[in-house]
Amino acid sequence: MPEKPSDLSAILETRRRNFGNMHAEWEREEKLVRQEFAHLFDAQYDITIHETSTATDIVSQFHNQVRTDEPTVSFRAEGTSREAQAHASLMIQWAYGMLKREREMGDDPNGQCAYNGLHPGVMAKRVLVETPRIVNKPKARREGKAQREWQDRVAASWPFDIRAVHPLALYPTPGLKRPLYDMLEVQTRTTADIWREFPDWKDPKGLTLDAKERTNPSRIVKVLIYWSMDILDDEGEVKEKGWYIIEVDGDRVIEKPNPYGFVPYIYEWSGLGRADADGDPVHLGRGILRGKRGELEEEVRLKTAYSAQAQIHVFPTL
């Protein structure tokens, strides 16, 4: 296996240096979209900030344009035989079915990816398989009641956990090479959420370690999730297995070989940036607000100044 990471926090610190400039630019733009403007002022007295919606409207209007487009699927047949063509057709139908089920999900992961491609400039998605929810096919070969019931259960079952992930929470392998060698995801969750997923976990910082008396279910914890891919030899055979590791506030709760063999994330640049000679990903992770931030920030300052002037001179305090 590839060398097992002994401390995911150390990997996080290294990746933060790799992606620090890009994330800093994203956070600056994110404040404009969220209409958080207090950092733009250094006044010695309280002022009412004009919360302009220009940045939010720019992103929303572009998103309204692109979300009307339906994604398409292509699958190249491995050969010209009738079986290869039939297999390709089946895979295309399956992929369109997957897209349909994803659209029916409440959070619409593909719609969120389109939004994130516009702002901050990376489309990211996590795709996991929940194996306990997979319905096994009956052994009977003939079409009958068992087969029909199985088909109904398969149609009702959805063994995939597909989520759009905000790019600020992800730290992929530095560089442009694909597929990704590894991925580190940072999550902020509560201890109650962790207990539901890992019932045997003992909170080392909680008020009690007694599993029957968990008295601090709302404590916020930092979760680090690490995936690495299998290493293949020249013949395409697995030479070294990858890892799947989860740490909660530094406490390792999962450590096992990667069951997929690959990193189950999609992480792609928006195409609005470009590769630069310095190799910094800040030039690639570029959204639609990057070239307008100065004007957008100054708009907040000017409109706030106009509003303050109006309050003082048009509506003076008696």
Side-chain angles (χ1 to χ4, degrees), residues 118-133:
L118 296 168
H119 163 74
V122 162
M123 295 164 283
K125 187 164 67 169
R126 180 182 63 243
V127 182
L128 303 178
V129 180
E130 298 179 335
T131 51
R133 301 183 64 181

Side-chain angles (χ1 to χ4, degrees), residues 27-266:
E27 289 168 353
R28 179 181 172 187
E29 294 156 9
E30 186 71 12
K31 288 180 180 179
L32 291 171
V33 174
R34 291 180 178 177
Q35 296 175 281
E36 299 173 357
F37 305 126
H39 65 288
L40 299 177
F41 298 88
D42 188 22
Q44 302 301 314
Y45 51 89
D46 291 336
I47 59 174
T48 301
I49 298 175
H50 181 91
E51 297 181 349
T52 175
S53 63
T54 305
T56 307
D57 290 341
I58 290 173
V59 178
S60 296
Q61 288 172 13
F62 272 91
H63 184 231
N64 289 337
Q65 295 295 320
V66 300
R67 72 178 181 178
T68 59
D69 295 334
E70 291 293 331
T72 59
V73 177
S74 62
F75 187 90
R76 185 173 62 184
E78 297 181 356
T80 58
S81 66
R82 181 178 300 177
E83 292 79 7
Q85 296 297 322
H87 175 69
S89 177
L90 181 63
M91 293 303 297
I92 290 174
Q93 292 179 42
W94 177 81
Y96 274 117
M98 289 283 289
L99 289 173
K100 180 177 181 296
R101 293 298 293 265
E102 287 184 44
R103 285 196 299 272
E104 294 170 352
M105 297 176 65
D107 56 356
D108 185 14
N110 291 319
Q112 289 193 50
C113 283
Y115 186 97
N116 291 336
L118 296 168
H119 163 74
V122 162
M123 295 164 283
K125 187 164 67 169
R126 180 182 63 243
V127 182
L128 303 178
V129 180
E130 298 179 335
T131 51
R133 301 183 64 181
I134 295 178
V135 181
N136 293 324
K137 188 174 183 179
K139 295 181 179 180
R141 296 182 179 180
R142 295 181 179 179
E143 183 70 25
K145 181 179 179 181
Q147 285 283 344
R148 291 193 296 271
E149 290 179 349
W150 171 74
Q151 291 173 357
D152 291 340
R153 289 197 301 271
V154 168
S157 175
W158 178 247
F160 299 97
D161 181 12
I162 302 176
R163 306 285 178 182
V165 185
H166 196 287
L168 277 171
L170 295 177
Y171 296 85
T173 312
L176 301 176
K177 192 172 182 179
R178 295 293 187 272
L180 294 170
Y181 170 73
D182 64 358
M183 175 69 78
L184 181 66
E185 180 180 353
V186 182
Q187 296 180 353
T188 301
R189 299 165 68 177
T190 64
T191 52
D193 191 24
I194 300 299
W195 282 325
R196 280 193 290 268
E197 189 170 351
F198 308 105
D200 296 331
W201 179 65
K202 309 293 186 181
D203 183 4
K205 298 181 181 178
L207 299 181
T208 177
L209 297 182
D210 188 344
K212 297 180 180 179
E213 299 180 10
R214 291 170 174 154
T215 57
N216 196 9
S218 60
R219 190 175 77 81
I220 302 299
V221 296
K222 183 174 73 173
V223 181
L224 301 182
I225 304 174
Y226 177 82
W227 295 84
S228 63
M229 66 179 289
D230 291 350
I231 303 300
L232 307 180
D233 60 20
D234 294 338
E235 303 298 325
E237 299 296 328
V238 176
K239 181 171 63 174
E240 299 177 350
K241 286 290 292 180
W243 288 99
Y244 170 44
I245 300 172
I246 296 181
E247 290 182 357
V248 180
D249 274 357
D251 184 26
R252 189 159 293 194
V253 297
I254 282 185
E255 180 184 284
K256 63 181 182 180
N258 182 347
Y260 304 122
F262 57 87
V263 177
Y265 290 82
I266 299 170

